[in-house]
Amino acid sequence: MTTLLFYEKPVPLNVDVHLKVRLGSLGGNVGFAAKTNSIPLAAVEFIDTAREYPIAFTGKDDGPLFPIALVGVRQNENLFITVDDRWDGRYVPAFVRRYPFVLAEKQDADDFNVYLDEAYAGFGAADGDRLFTDDGEHTPLLKQALEFLSNYQGEIKRTRLFVERLQSLDLLIPRVLEVV
């Protein structure tokens, strides 16, 4: 699964570096997702996703597969992003909603580092919410983001186990999708 799909300048979140940084709301602007035709999914999202988007499983030959929502038919095309960079659908996948934060696995560990995309349009906004207090404690914004990331990561782990089981039972059949 491509973890850094939308992220142009991901950097580790660091209290010393980001102590005074503010994040402004994009007010529903999801233009950062405009150049992708598929979005990774957690299995818990299947019901909401299937109401609007086709779900497929992708991966390398004879390797693990991962579920995706198809949101476009051409490369670098998301048909669910409007001309004013809004999401044109009822359900916005969690992979999109977690932006500008992301977890990245630490080498040789079952732990993760939190990254932040410094290319995020709301990064450093004068009227945004801070990530840390003056004492270096997490603000409500950061606490909420970390909880979302933690829950999301747990769902991704469960999704991998679910897909492994589907594969072991030969329930997924390879198909070539051709759109004319």
Side-chain angles (χ1 to χ4, degrees), residues 77-140:
E77 172 190 66
N78 185 335
L79 296 171
F80 288 87
I81 304 291
T82 65
V83 294
D84 59 346
D85 290 331
R86 302 280 185 233
W87 193 271
D88 189 19
R90 289 180 302 254
Y91 183 72
V92 180
F95 193 91
V96 174
R97 288 182 281 127
R98 72 180 182 169
Y99 185 82
F101 298 98
V102 65
L103 291 179
E105 288 184 74
K106 292 180 180 177
Q107 283 187 324
D108 304 323
D110 281 340
D111 199 6
F112 295 88
N113 285 325
V114 177
Y115 279 70
L116 171 66
D117 189 1
E118 287 186 346
Y120 170 70
F123 184 83
D127 60 345
D129 294 321
R130 286 185 56 185
L131 299 171
F132 298 100
T133 66
D134 287 333
D135 296 329
E137 299 297 320
H138 297 167
T139 63

Short mmCIF file of all heavy atoms in Angstrom, two decimals, residues 77-140:
data_model
loop_
_atom_site.label_atom_id
_atom_site.label_comp_id
_atom_site.label_asym_id
_atom_site.label_seq_id
_atom_site.Cartn_x
_atom_site.Cartn_y
_atom_site.Cartn_z
N GLU A 77 -6.17 10.93 -12.23
CA GLU A 77 -7.52 11.47 -12.38
C GLU A 77 -8.41 10.97 -11.24
O GLU A 77 -8.58 9.78 -11.04
CB GLU A 77 -8.11 10.99 -13.70
CG GLU A 77 -9.58 11.32 -13.87
CD GLU A 77 -10.18 10.62 -15.08
OE1 GLU A 77 -10.26 9.38 -15.09
OE2 GLU A 77 -10.57 11.34 -16.01
N ASN A 78 -8.96 11.90 -10.48
CA ASN A 78 -9.93 11.58 -9.45
C ASN A 78 -11.24 12.24 -9.87
O ASN A 78 -11.36 13.47 -9.81
CB ASN A 78 -9.47 12.08 -8.08
CG ASN A 78 -10.38 11.68 -6.96
OD1 ASN A 78 -11.56 11.42 -7.16
ND2 ASN A 78 -9.84 11.64 -5.76
N LEU A 79 -12.20 11.44 -10.28
CA LEU A 79 -13.47 11.96 -10.76
C LEU A 79 -14.36 12.49 -9.64
O LEU A 79 -15.42 13.06 -9.91
CB LEU A 79 -14.22 10.88 -11.55
CG LEU A 79 -13.52 10.42 -12.83
CD1 LEU A 79 -14.22 9.19 -13.41
CD2 LEU A 79 -13.46 11.55 -13.85
N PHE A 80 -13.94 12.31 -8.40
CA PHE A 80 -14.73 12.77 -7.27
C PHE A 80 -14.23 14.08 -6.68
O PHE A 80 -14.70 14.51 -5.64
CB PHE A 80 -14.80 11.67 -6.19
CG PHE A 80 -15.67 10.53 -6.61
CD1 PHE A 80 -15.14 9.48 -7.35
CD2 PHE A 80 -17.02 10.52 -6.32
CE1 PHE A 80 -15.95 8.43 -7.77
CE2 PHE A 80 -17.83 9.49 -6.74
CZ PHE A 80 -17.30 8.43 -7.46
N ILE A 81 -13.32 14.73 -7.36
CA ILE A 81 -12.85 16.05 -6.94
C ILE A 81 -13.46 17.06 -7.92
O ILE A 81 -13.26 16.97 -9.13
CB ILE A 81 -11.31 16.17 -6.95
CG1 ILE A 81 -10.67 15.09 -6.08
CG2 ILE A 81 -10.88 17.57 -6.53
CD1 ILE A 81 -10.89 15.23 -4.61
N THR A 82 -14.19 18.02 -7.39
CA THR A 82 -14.84 19.03 -8.22
C THR A 82 -13.84 20.09 -8.68
O THR A 82 -12.70 20.13 -8.20
CB THR A 82 -15.99 19.72 -7.45
OG1 THR A 82 -15.41 20.45 -6.36
CG2 THR A 82 -17.00 18.71 -6.94
N VAL A 83 -14.28 20.98 -9.56
CA VAL A 83 -13.40 22.04 -10.04
C VAL A 83 -12.96 22.98 -8.93
O VAL A 83 -11.92 23.62 -9.03
CB VAL A 83 -14.04 22.85 -11.20
CG1 VAL A 83 -14.21 21.97 -12.43
CG2 VAL A 83 -15.36 23.46 -10.78
N ASP A 84 -13.75 23.07 -7.85
CA ASP A 84 -13.34 23.92 -6.72
C ASP A 84 -12.73 23.09 -5.59
O ASP A 84 -12.73 23.49 -4.43
CB ASP A 84 -14.50 24.79 -6.22
CG ASP A 84 -15.70 23.98 -5.75
OD1 ASP A 84 -15.78 22.77 -6.04
OD2 ASP A 84 -16.58 24.56 -5.08
N ASP A 85 -12.19 21.91 -5.93
CA ASP A 85 -11.43 21.04 -5.02
C ASP A 85 -12.24 20.52 -3.84
O ASP A 85 -11.71 20.33 -2.75
CB ASP A 85 -10.15 21.73 -4.53
CG ASP A 85 -9.13 21.88 -5.64
OD1 ASP A 85 -9.13 21.04 -6.57
OD2 ASP A 85 -8.32 22.82 -5.59
N ARG A 86 -13.51 20.26 -4.05
CA ARG A 86 -14.37 19.64 -3.03
C ARG A 86 -14.56 18.17 -3.38
O ARG A 86 -14.42 17.76 -4.53
CB ARG A 86 -15.75 20.32 -3.00
CG ARG A 86 -15.70 21.78 -2.72
CD ARG A 86 -15.53 22.00 -1.26
NE ARG A 86 -15.59 23.41 -0.94
CZ ARG A 86 -14.66 24.04 -0.24
NH1 ARG A 86 -13.62 23.39 0.19
NH2 ARG A 86 -14.77 25.30 0.04
N TRP A 87 -14.89 17.36 -2.37
CA TRP A 87 -15.17 15.94 -2.61
C TRP A 87 -16.62 15.81 -3.05
O TRP A 87 -17.53 16.26 -2.35
CB TRP A 87 -14.93 15.13 -1.33
CG TRP A 87 -14.90 13.66 -1.64
CD1 TRP A 87 -15.96 12.81 -1.66
CD2 TRP A 87 -13.76 12.90 -2.01
NE1 TRP A 87 -15.55 11.55 -2.02
CE2 TRP A 87 -14.20 11.59 -2.24
CE3 TRP A 87 -12.42 13.20 -2.18
CZ2 TRP A 87 -13.34 10.56 -2.62
CZ3 TRP A 87 -11.56 12.18 -2.55
CH2 TRP A 87 -12.01 10.89 -2.77
N ASP A 88 -16.83 15.21 -4.21
CA ASP A 88 -18.17 15.07 -4.78
C ASP A 88 -18.70 13.67 -4.49
O ASP A 88 -18.83 12.84 -5.38
CB ASP A 88 -18.14 15.33 -6.29
CG ASP A 88 -19.52 15.42 -6.88
OD1 ASP A 88 -20.49 15.63 -6.13
OD2 ASP A 88 -19.64 15.26 -8.12
N GLY A 89 -18.98 13.42 -3.24
CA GLY A 89 -19.51 12.14 -2.80
C GLY A 89 -19.88 12.25 -1.34
O GLY A 89 -19.39 13.12 -0.63
N ARG A 90 -20.74 11.35 -0.91
CA ARG A 90 -21.15 11.39 0.51
C ARG A 90 -20.04 10.88 1.42
O ARG A 90 -19.83 11.41 2.50
CB ARG A 90 -22.41 10.56 0.71
CG ARG A 90 -23.66 11.19 0.12
CD ARG A 90 -24.86 10.30 0.35
NE ARG A 90 -24.62 8.98 -0.23
CZ ARG A 90 -25.19 8.53 -1.33
NH1 ARG A 90 -26.06 9.27 -1.96
NH2 ARG A 90 -24.92 7.34 -1.80
N TYR A 91 -19.35 9.82 0.99
CA TYR A 91 -18.33 9.22 1.86
C TYR A 91 -16.93 9.60 1.39
O TYR A 91 -16.58 9.41 0.22
CB TYR A 91 -18.46 7.68 1.88
CG TYR A 91 -17.47 7.07 2.82
CD1 TYR A 91 -17.63 7.20 4.20
CD2 TYR A 91 -16.34 6.41 2.35
CE1 TYR A 91 -16.70 6.68 5.08
CE2 TYR A 91 -15.42 5.88 3.22
CZ TYR A 91 -15.60 6.02 4.59
OH TYR A 91 -14.68 5.52 5.46
N VAL A 92 -16.14 10.13 2.30
CA VAL A 92 -14.73 10.45 2.03
C VAL A 92 -13.89 9.40 2.75
O VAL A 92 -13.96 9.28 3.98
CB VAL A 92 -14.37 11.86 2.54
CG1 VAL A 92 -12.91 12.17 2.25
CG2 VAL A 92 -15.29 12.91 1.93
N PRO A 93 -13.10 8.61 2.01
CA PRO A 93 -12.30 7.56 2.64
C PRO A 93 -11.37 8.09 3.74
O PRO A 93 -10.87 9.22 3.66
CB PRO A 93 -11.50 6.98 1.47
CG PRO A 93 -12.34 7.26 0.26
CD PRO A 93 -12.97 8.60 0.55
N ALA A 94 -11.15 7.27 4.74
CA ALA A 94 -10.31 7.65 5.89
C ALA A 94 -8.90 8.02 5.45
O ALA A 94 -8.27 8.88 6.04
CB ALA A 94 -10.26 6.51 6.91
N PHE A 95 -8.41 7.37 4.40
CA PHE A 95 -7.08 7.68 3.89
C PHE A 95 -6.98 9.16 3.51
O PHE A 95 -5.94 9.79 3.70
CB PHE A 95 -6.79 6.80 2.66
CG PHE A 95 -5.36 6.80 2.22
CD1 PHE A 95 -4.46 5.87 2.71
CD2 PHE A 95 -4.90 7.73 1.30
CE1 PHE A 95 -3.14 5.86 2.29
CE2 PHE A 95 -3.58 7.73 0.88
CZ PHE A 95 -2.69 6.79 1.37
N VAL A 96 -8.05 9.72 3.00
CA VAL A 96 -8.10 11.14 2.64
C VAL A 96 -8.28 12.00 3.88
O VAL A 96 -7.63 13.03 4.06
CB VAL A 96 -9.24 11.42 1.62
CG1 VAL A 96 -9.39 12.90 1.34
CG2 VAL A 96 -9.02 10.64 0.34
N ARG A 97 -9.15 11.54 4.78
CA ARG A 97 -9.47 12.33 5.98
C ARG A 97 -8.30 12.47 6.95
O ARG A 97 -8.26 13.40 7.74
CB ARG A 97 -10.67 11.72 6.71
CG ARG A 97 -11.97 11.95 5.96
CD ARG A 97 -13.17 11.40 6.70
NE ARG A 97 -13.28 9.96 6.50
CZ ARG A 97 -13.38 9.06 7.48
NH1 ARG A 97 -13.41 9.43 8.74
NH2 ARG A 97 -13.49 7.78 7.19
N ARG A 98 -7.34 11.57 6.89
CA ARG A 98 -6.21 11.66 7.84
C ARG A 98 -5.21 12.74 7.45
O ARG A 98 -4.38 13.14 8.25
CB ARG A 98 -5.51 10.32 7.97
CG ARG A 98 -4.70 9.96 6.75
CD ARG A 98 -4.02 8.64 6.89
NE ARG A 98 -3.22 8.40 5.69
CZ ARG A 98 -2.34 7.44 5.56
NH1 ARG A 98 -2.12 6.63 6.56
NH2 ARG A 98 -1.67 7.30 4.45
N TYR A 99 -5.24 13.19 6.22
CA TYR A 99 -4.30 14.20 5.72
C TYR A 99 -4.43 15.49 6.54
O TYR A 99 -5.54 15.89 6.85
CB TYR A 99 -4.59 14.47 4.24
CG TYR A 99 -3.59 15.40 3.60
CD1 TYR A 99 -2.38 14.92 3.15
CD2 TYR A 99 -3.85 16.76 3.48
CE1 TYR A 99 -1.46 15.78 2.58
CE2 TYR A 99 -2.93 17.61 2.92
CZ TYR A 99 -1.74 17.12 2.47
OH TYR A 99 -0.82 17.96 1.92
N PRO A 100 -3.35 16.15 6.92
CA PRO A 100 -1.95 16.09 6.50
C PRO A 100 -1.06 15.20 7.38
O PRO A 100 0.15 15.25 7.26
CB PRO A 100 -1.51 17.54 6.62
CG PRO A 100 -2.22 18.03 7.84
CD PRO A 100 -3.57 17.33 7.78
N PHE A 101 -1.67 14.38 8.25
CA PHE A 101 -0.89 13.51 9.12
C PHE A 101 -0.81 12.12 8.51
O PHE A 101 -1.68 11.69 7.78
CB PHE A 101 -1.54 13.41 10.50
CG PHE A 101 -1.61 14.72 11.23
CD1 PHE A 101 -2.77 15.47 11.23
CD2 PHE A 101 -0.51 15.20 11.92
CE1 PHE A 101 -2.85 16.68 11.90
CE2 PHE A 101 -0.57 16.42 12.60
CZ PHE A 101 -1.74 17.15 12.58
N VAL A 102 0.25 11.39 8.88
CA VAL A 102 0.40 10.01 8.45
C VAL A 102 1.35 9.31 9.42
O VAL A 102 2.22 9.96 10.01
CB VAL A 102 0.92 9.92 6.99
CG1 VAL A 102 2.32 10.48 6.86
CG2 VAL A 102 0.84 8.51 6.46
N LEU A 103 1.16 8.02 9.58
CA LEU A 103 2.08 7.22 10.38
C LEU A 103 3.03 6.50 9.44
O LEU A 103 2.63 6.02 8.38
CB LEU A 103 1.31 6.17 11.20
CG LEU A 103 0.44 6.67 12.33
CD1 LEU A 103 -0.26 5.50 13.02
CD2 LEU A 103 1.25 7.45 13.34
N ALA A 104 4.28 6.42 9.83
CA ALA A 104 5.29 5.68 9.06
C ALA A 104 5.98 4.72 10.02
O ALA A 104 6.36 5.12 11.12
CB ALA A 104 6.29 6.63 8.42
N GLU A 105 6.10 3.47 9.59
CA GLU A 105 6.72 2.46 10.45
C GLU A 105 8.19 2.80 10.70
O GLU A 105 8.91 3.22 9.81
CB GLU A 105 6.64 1.09 9.79
CG GLU A 105 5.25 0.51 9.80
CD GLU A 105 5.20 -0.88 9.22
OE1 GLU A 105 5.64 -1.81 9.91
OE2 GLU A 105 4.72 -1.01 8.08
N LYS A 106 8.59 2.59 11.95
CA LYS A 106 10.00 2.72 12.29
C LYS A 106 10.70 1.46 11.82
O LYS A 106 10.13 0.37 11.83
CB LYS A 106 10.18 2.87 13.81
CG LYS A 106 9.64 4.16 14.39
CD LYS A 106 9.87 4.19 15.89
CE LYS A 106 9.34 5.47 16.49
NZ LYS A 106 9.49 5.48 17.96
N GLN A 107 11.96 1.57 11.43
CA GLN A 107 12.71 0.41 11.00
C GLN A 107 12.91 -0.53 12.18
O GLN A 107 13.22 -0.09 13.29
CB GLN A 107 14.06 0.81 10.42
CG GLN A 107 13.97 1.36 9.02
CD GLN A 107 15.33 1.59 8.42
OE1 GLN A 107 16.27 1.97 9.08
NE2 GLN A 107 15.44 1.33 7.13
N ASP A 108 12.76 -1.82 11.94
CA ASP A 108 12.99 -2.86 12.94
C ASP A 108 12.15 -2.67 14.19
O ASP A 108 12.62 -2.91 15.30
CB ASP A 108 14.48 -2.92 13.32
CG ASP A 108 15.37 -3.14 12.10
OD1 ASP A 108 14.95 -3.90 11.20
OD2 ASP A 108 16.46 -2.57 12.06
N ALA A 109 10.91 -2.22 14.03
CA ALA A 109 10.06 -2.02 15.20
C ALA A 109 8.59 -2.15 14.81
O ALA A 109 8.23 -2.01 13.65
CB ALA A 109 10.31 -0.65 15.82
N ASP A 110 7.76 -2.42 15.81
CA ASP A 110 6.32 -2.45 15.60
C ASP A 110 5.70 -1.12 16.00
O ASP A 110 4.55 -1.04 16.39
CB ASP A 110 5.69 -3.58 16.43
CG ASP A 110 5.86 -4.94 15.77
OD1 ASP A 110 6.10 -4.98 14.55
OD2 ASP A 110 5.73 -5.95 16.49
N ASP A 111 6.49 -0.08 15.92
CA ASP A 111 6.07 1.25 16.34
C ASP A 111 6.05 2.16 15.12
O ASP A 111 6.54 1.80 14.06
CB ASP A 111 7.05 1.77 17.40
CG ASP A 111 6.46 2.91 18.21
OD1 ASP A 111 5.27 3.21 18.05
OD2 ASP A 111 7.22 3.50 19.00
N PHE A 112 5.47 3.34 15.28
CA PHE A 112 5.33 4.25 14.17
C PHE A 112 5.78 5.65 14.55
O PHE A 112 5.70 6.04 15.71
CB PHE A 112 3.86 4.31 13.72
CG PHE A 112 3.36 3.02 13.17
CD1 PHE A 112 2.81 2.06 14.01
CD2 PHE A 112 3.44 2.76 11.82
CE1 PHE A 112 2.35 0.86 13.51
CE2 PHE A 112 2.97 1.56 11.31
CZ PHE A 112 2.43 0.60 12.16
N ASN A 113 6.23 6.40 13.55
CA ASN A 113 6.50 7.82 13.70
C ASN A 113 5.35 8.57 13.07
O ASN A 113 4.79 8.14 12.06
CB ASN A 113 7.79 8.22 12.97
CG ASN A 113 9.03 7.78 13.70
OD1 ASN A 113 9.08 7.76 14.92
ND2 ASN A 113 10.04 7.40 12.94
N VAL A 114 5.01 9.71 13.65
CA VAL A 114 3.98 10.57 13.07
C VAL A 114 4.67 11.56 12.14
O VAL A 114 5.65 12.20 12.52
CB VAL A 114 3.19 11.32 14.16
CG1 VAL A 114 2.18 12.27 13.54
CG2 VAL A 114 2.52 10.34 15.10
N TYR A 115 4.16 11.66 10.93
CA TYR A 115 4.67 12.61 9.95
C TYR A 115 3.59 13.62 9.63
O TYR A 115 2.39 13.34 9.76
CB TYR A 115 5.09 11.89 8.66
CG TYR A 115 6.46 11.26 8.75
CD1 TYR A 115 6.69 10.14 9.55
CD2 TYR A 115 7.53 11.78 8.04
CE1 TYR A 115 7.93 9.56 9.63
CE2 TYR A 115 8.78 11.20 8.12
CZ TYR A 115 8.98 10.10 8.91
OH TYR A 115 10.22 9.53 8.99
N LEU A 116 4.03 14.77 9.19
CA LEU A 116 3.15 15.87 8.83
C LEU A 116 3.61 16.40 7.48
O LEU A 116 4.82 16.55 7.25
CB LEU A 116 3.25 16.97 9.89
CG LEU A 116 2.60 18.31 9.63
CD1 LEU A 116 1.08 18.15 9.59
CD2 LEU A 116 2.98 19.29 10.74
N ASP A 117 2.69 16.65 6.58
CA ASP A 117 3.05 17.19 5.27
C ASP A 117 3.20 18.71 5.36
O ASP A 117 2.22 19.42 5.52
CB ASP A 117 1.99 16.83 4.23
CG ASP A 117 2.42 17.16 2.81
OD1 ASP A 117 3.55 17.64 2.62
OD2 ASP A 117 1.62 16.90 1.89
N GLU A 118 4.43 19.16 5.28
CA GLU A 118 4.68 20.61 5.35
C GLU A 118 4.21 21.32 4.08
O GLU A 118 4.16 22.54 4.05
CB GLU A 118 6.15 20.90 5.63
CG GLU A 118 6.54 20.58 7.06
CD GLU A 118 7.96 21.00 7.42
OE1 GLU A 118 8.76 21.31 6.52
OE2 GLU A 118 8.25 21.02 8.63
N ALA A 119 3.84 20.57 3.05
CA ALA A 119 3.27 21.18 1.83
C ALA A 119 1.76 21.38 1.97
O ALA A 119 1.13 21.95 1.08
CB ALA A 119 3.57 20.30 0.62
N TYR A 120 1.18 20.93 3.07
CA TYR A 120 -0.24 21.12 3.35
C TYR A 120 -0.57 22.62 3.26
O TYR A 120 0.12 23.45 3.85
CB TYR A 120 -0.53 20.57 4.75
CG TYR A 120 -1.88 20.86 5.34
CD1 TYR A 120 -3.03 20.27 4.83
CD2 TYR A 120 -2.01 21.70 6.43
CE1 TYR A 120 -4.27 20.51 5.40
CE2 TYR A 120 -3.26 21.95 7.01
CZ TYR A 120 -4.37 21.35 6.48
OH TYR A 120 -5.60 21.59 7.05
N ALA A 121 -1.61 22.95 2.54
CA ALA A 121 -1.94 24.37 2.29
C ALA A 121 -2.21 25.14 3.58
O ALA A 121 -2.01 26.35 3.63
CB ALA A 121 -3.15 24.47 1.35
N GLY A 122 -2.66 24.46 4.63
CA GLY A 122 -2.93 25.13 5.90
C GLY A 122 -1.75 25.16 6.86
O GLY A 122 -1.85 25.65 7.98
N PHE A 123 -0.60 24.63 6.42
CA PHE A 123 0.57 24.58 7.29
C PHE A 123 1.09 25.99 7.57
O PHE A 123 1.32 26.77 6.65
CB PHE A 123 1.69 23.74 6.64
CG PHE A 123 2.89 23.56 7.50
CD1 PHE A 123 2.93 22.56 8.45
CD2 PHE A 123 4.00 24.38 7.35
CE1 PHE A 123 4.04 22.38 9.25
CE2 PHE A 123 5.11 24.21 8.15
CZ PHE A 123 5.14 23.21 9.10
N GLY A 124 1.25 26.31 8.84
CA GLY A 124 1.79 27.61 9.22
C GLY A 124 0.79 28.74 9.14
O GLY A 124 1.16 29.91 9.17
N ALA A 125 -0.51 28.41 9.06
CA ALA A 125 -1.53 29.46 8.97
C ALA A 125 -1.54 30.32 10.23
O ALA A 125 -1.47 29.81 11.33
CB ALA A 125 -2.91 28.82 8.77
N ALA A 126 -1.62 31.61 10.05
CA ALA A 126 -1.60 32.55 11.18
C ALA A 126 -2.81 32.37 12.08
O ALA A 126 -2.71 32.54 13.30
CB ALA A 126 -1.54 33.99 10.66
N ASP A 127 -3.94 32.00 11.51
CA ASP A 127 -5.16 31.86 12.30
C ASP A 127 -5.52 30.40 12.58
O ASP A 127 -6.62 30.11 13.02
CB ASP A 127 -6.32 32.56 11.60
CG ASP A 127 -6.60 31.98 10.22
OD1 ASP A 127 -5.74 31.25 9.70
OD2 ASP A 127 -7.68 32.26 9.67
N GLY A 128 -4.60 29.50 12.36
CA GLY A 128 -4.86 28.08 12.58
C GLY A 128 -4.70 27.66 14.03
O GLY A 128 -4.39 28.47 14.90
N ASP A 129 -4.91 26.38 14.27
CA ASP A 129 -4.76 25.80 15.60
C ASP A 129 -3.35 25.25 15.78
O ASP A 129 -2.80 24.62 14.87
CB ASP A 129 -5.77 24.67 15.80
CG ASP A 129 -7.20 25.16 15.81
OD1 ASP A 129 -7.44 26.24 16.37
OD2 ASP A 129 -8.06 24.45 15.25
N ARG A 130 -2.80 25.46 16.95
CA ARG A 130 -1.47 24.94 17.25
C ARG A 130 -1.52 23.45 17.49
O ARG A 130 -2.53 22.89 17.91
CB ARG A 130 -0.90 25.65 18.48
CG ARG A 130 -0.47 27.08 18.15
CD ARG A 130 0.20 27.78 19.27
NE ARG A 130 1.38 27.05 19.78
CZ ARG A 130 2.07 27.44 20.84
NH1 ARG A 130 1.71 28.52 21.52
NH2 ARG A 130 3.11 26.76 21.24
N LEU A 131 -0.37 22.81 17.25
CA LEU A 131 -0.22 21.38 17.49
C LEU A 131 0.23 21.10 18.93
O LEU A 131 -0.10 20.07 19.50
CB LEU A 131 0.79 20.79 16.52
CG LEU A 131 0.43 20.90 15.04
CD1 LEU A 131 1.60 20.49 14.17
CD2 LEU A 131 -0.78 20.05 14.75
N PHE A 132 1.03 22.02 19.46
CA PHE A 132 1.60 21.87 20.80
C PHE A 132 1.33 23.14 21.61
O PHE A 132 1.28 24.23 21.07
CB PHE A 132 3.11 21.65 20.72
CG PHE A 132 3.51 20.40 19.99
CD1 PHE A 132 3.92 20.46 18.66
CD2 PHE A 132 3.49 19.17 20.62
CE1 PHE A 132 4.30 19.32 17.98
CE2 PHE A 132 3.86 18.02 19.94
CZ PHE A 132 4.27 18.08 18.62
N THR A 133 1.22 22.95 22.93
CA THR A 133 1.14 24.09 23.82
C THR A 133 2.55 24.64 24.01
O THR A 133 3.53 24.03 23.58
CB THR A 133 0.58 23.67 25.20
OG1 THR A 133 1.53 22.80 25.83
CG2 THR A 133 -0.78 23.00 25.08
N ASP A 134 2.68 25.77 24.68
CA ASP A 134 4.01 26.34 24.95
C ASP A 134 4.87 25.40 25.77
O ASP A 134 6.09 25.43 25.71
CB ASP A 134 3.88 27.69 25.67
CG ASP A 134 3.39 28.78 24.73
OD1 ASP A 134 3.62 28.67 23.50
OD2 ASP A 134 2.76 29.74 25.22
N ASP A 135 4.23 24.51 26.55
CA ASP A 135 4.95 23.53 27.36
C ASP A 135 5.28 22.26 26.59
O ASP A 135 5.83 21.31 27.16
CB ASP A 135 4.11 23.16 28.59
CG ASP A 135 3.89 24.34 29.51
OD1 ASP A 135 4.77 25.23 29.57
OD2 ASP A 135 2.83 24.39 30.16
N GLY A 136 4.91 22.21 25.31
CA GLY A 136 5.21 21.03 24.49
C GLY A 136 4.19 19.92 24.60
O GLY A 136 4.40 18.83 24.08
N GLU A 137 3.07 20.18 25.25
CA GLU A 137 2.00 19.19 25.36
C GLU A 137 1.16 19.20 24.08
O GLU A 137 1.07 20.20 23.39
CB GLU A 137 1.12 19.49 26.58
CG GLU A 137 1.87 19.47 27.90
CD GLU A 137 2.45 18.11 28.24
OE1 GLU A 137 1.76 17.09 27.99
OE2 GLU A 137 3.59 18.05 28.74
N HIS A 138 0.51 18.07 23.82
CA HIS A 138 -0.37 17.97 22.65
C HIS A 138 -1.61 18.81 22.86
O HIS A 138 -2.22 18.77 23.92
CB HIS A 138 -0.79 16.53 22.40
CG HIS A 138 0.35 15.62 22.07
ND1 HIS A 138 0.21 14.25 22.08
CD2 HIS A 138 1.63 15.85 21.75
CE1 HIS A 138 1.36 13.70 21.75
NE2 HIS A 138 2.24 14.65 21.55
N THR A 139 -2.00 19.55 21.84
CA THR A 139 -3.25 20.31 21.87
C THR A 139 -4.40 19.37 21.50
O THR A 139 -4.17 18.25 21.00
CB THR A 139 -3.22 21.48 20.87
OG1 THR A 139 -3.10 20.93 19.55
CG2 THR A 139 -2.09 22.45 21.17
N PRO A 140 -5.65 19.78 21.72
CA PRO A 140 -6.78 18.94 21.31
C PRO A 140 -6.72 18.54 19.82
O PRO A 140 -7.06 17.42 19.47
CB PRO A 140 -8.00 19.81 21.62
CG PRO A 140 -7.55 20.65 22.77
CD PRO A 140 -6.10 20.96 22.49
#
